[in-house]
Amino acid sequence: MSVALVGAGPGDPGLITVRGLELLRACDAVVHDRLVAPELVEEAPEGALRIARDGLSQEEINELLIALAEDGLEVVRLKGGDPYVFGRGGEEAIALAEAGIDFEVVPGVSALAAVPAAAGIPLTHRGVASQVRLLSGRLAAGDPDWESVRPDGATLVLFMALDELDRICGELLVRGFAPTTPAAVVSRGTLADQEVVVAELSVLSEAAAHLRSPALAIVGDVVAVRERILARPLVGVTAR
Ligand SMILES: C[S@@+](CC[C@H](N)C(=O)[O-])C[C@H]1O[C@@H](n2cnc3c(N)ncnc32)[C@H](O)[C@@H]1O
């Protein structure tokens, strides 16, 4: 009886790790997130339990993982991107540790870098940006810590920010970001229907209003590097 918290990658099923796929193909039960590629859920053995976590609270998911493991099953908890990047993987790991259940964490390809890369945007680029700051547009306990966000050259990567983009861009402008700061929103990154909108910060939310979830916003000078990267054909990275 054990649980593996497995990162499924950002959407493209080819972006799961070899270790993650190995565990998935050998499990007795898979408990999966909504954003996980359906092709990956299909990789579980024919007789395996397949449980979508939709509608379950975090507490209920924790209890489910513990109950399945205590029933003697090898469980894969398949999570979007990386389990520990805005994925509540830490909460699940703590619950398993406290219940005395053996578990392993298999890192995943996070949307953090994969989604910008799929859109032709490097998060850091020599001479342009050497720091990256991650923000969530939706925090359980309220707003991001805006006081710590300033225009210091770091690339900002905004998760779960699509619905609040107007307000978030407004906060950045109030905090001294130039209205002309290059910015982008990547919708459904790495998937066949990926869409990318590039705009100056002051008009980003308007330009991205039609995009669908999941979407990631990137703010900073690295966005402008995209033009140079896309001037050449990309190998191994999709950019539309
Ligand atoms: C709950 S967080 C999970 C992040 C995940 N653990 C990771 O490491 O990528 C979900 C957010 O990640 C971003 N995201 C995940 N997959 C994405 C994709 N394929 N394209 C764009 N954004 C994505 C969006 O901001 C979405 O609202």
Side-chain angles (χ1 to χ4, degrees), residues 121-122 128-129 151 153-158 169 172-173 177-185 197-204 217-227:
I121 301 167
V128 178
T155 302
L156 297 186
V157 182
L158 300 154
C169 292
L172 296 177
L173 293 169
F177 282 74
T180 53
T181 305
V185 179
V197 162
V198 176
E200 292 181 350
L201 180 61
S202 60
V203 292
L204 184 68
I218 304 114
V219 177
D221 289 336
V222 289
V223 174
V225 177
R226 178 174 195 261
E227 276 177 32

Side-chain angles (χ1 to χ4, degrees), residues 24 30 32-33 36-45 50-51 78:
L24 187 55
V30 54
H32 61 91
D33 282 350
V36 160
E39 295 90 330
L40 288 179
V41 178
E42 284 313 306
E43 290 287 344
R50 291 175 170 75
I51 304 172
L78 193 58

Side-chain angles (χ1 to χ4, degrees), residues 28-225:
D28 302 308
V30 54
V31 179
H32 61 91
D33 282 350
R34 188 174 49 87
L35 288 181
V36 160
E39 295 90 330
L40 288 179
V41 178
E42 284 313 306
E43 290 287 344
E46 213 177 289
L49 286 173
R50 291 175 170 75
I51 304 172
R53 64 134 292 179
D54 292 20
L56 297 182
S57 67
Q58 188 59 56
E59 188 58 35
E60 287 168 334
I61 295 167
N62 298 350
E63 285 167 10
L64 175 65
L65 296 177
I66 292 166
L68 291 170
E70 284 178 347
D71 274 352
L73 303 183
E74 296 299 332
V75 183
V76 164
R77 169 73 176 106
L78 193 58
K79 301 175 69 69
D82 180 87
Y84 283 175
V85 178
F86 291 128
R88 296 196 166 188
E91 292 171 44
E92 292 173 17
I94 290 170
L96 292 166
E98 287 178 352
I101 306 284
D102 285 342
F103 69 95
E104 119 175 46
V105 180
V106 182
V109 175
S110 175
L112 168 65
V115 168
I121 301 167
L123 288 190
T124 65
H125 192 74
R126 191 151 57 99
V128 178
S130 59
Q131 289 184 64
V132 179
R133 183 174 289 128
L134 281 61
L135 291 171
S136 164
R138 205 186 320 133
L139 286 194
D143 250 15
D145 173 16
W146 290 117
E147 294 309 318
S148 68
V149 182
R150 45 189 187 281
D152 56 5
T155 302
L156 297 186
V157 182
L158 300 154
F159 286 74
M160 297 171 273
L162 193 59
D163 295 344
E164 294 285 327
L165 202 54
D166 194 38
R167 194 169 64 86
I168 289 170
C169 292
E171 286 282 355
L172 296 177
L173 293 169
V174 164
R175 272 154 224 294
F177 282 74
T180 53
T181 305
V185 179
V186 184
S187 156
R188 301 182 56 78
T190 77
L191 293 164
D193 56 353
Q194 168 175 304
E195 245 191 286
V196 185
V197 162
V198 176
E200 292 181 350
L201 180 61
S202 60
V203 292
L204 184 68
S205 66
E206 199 181 324
H210 65 286
L211 292 181
R212 289 188 299 149
S213 289
L216 196 76
I218 304 114
V219 177
D221 289 336
V222 289
V223 174
V225 177

